[in-house]
Amino acid sequence: MKAILCGPDENGLADALAAEGVELTRIDGIVTRPALEDAGIVDAGLVVLTDVAEATAIPLAKELNPDVRVVVYAEQSLPEFAKGQADLAVDPKLLSASVVAEELV
């Protein structure tokens, strides 16, 4: 599976996904359409957002790849405009990165 992780990775989700065999690309800066395209959004099966300030990435990702699953792994709540477009939102305080990675794969 190919995945894109957008935002910081304070909880070790990138390592947990890699341990599950996921081919991961990171976007550390602002998540823009060109950044998603460069990261391979068209072929990705999963986008993980760890910074809700970058919530505009959700509709962009869905526009570029309607079949991609978008998961938010952050303590903060999503803005209203993005809540209906994310497939799953998980608080890192509730589930560890390894459990989330295992369930996503």
Side-chain angles (χ1 to χ4, degrees):
M1 171 191 296
K2 292 183 180 184
I4 301 170
L5 189 133
C6 305
D9 188 25
E10 298 157 353
N11 297 295
L13 188 55
D15 290 339
L17 287 167
E20 293 292 330
V22 174
E23 182 182 327
L24 189 67
T25 303
R26 303 269 320 257
I27 299 176
D28 290 318
I30 296 172
V31 184
T32 62
R33 182 183 189 103
L36 285 167
E37 290 171 338
D38 289 346
I41 186 66
V42 174
D43 297 321
L46 177 67
V47 171
V48 180
L49 186 70
T50 62
D51 181 0
V52 297
E54 295 293 327
T56 55
I58 297 171
L60 283 174
K62 291 288 191 173
E63 180 183 322
L64 293 166
N65 180 350
D67 296 325
V68 74
R69 288 184 302 157
V70 177
V71 175
V72 178
Y73 191 61
E75 293 178 20
Q76 302 83 7
S77 296
L78 276 171
E80 286 299 319
F81 77 88
K83 283 184 179 178
Q85 295 176 317
D87 295 293
L88 179 65
V90 179
D91 187 328
K93 290 181 182 176
L94 300 177
L95 288 175
S96 69
S98 60
V99 170
V100 171
E102 184 179 317
E103 292 300 317
L104 291 175
V105 175

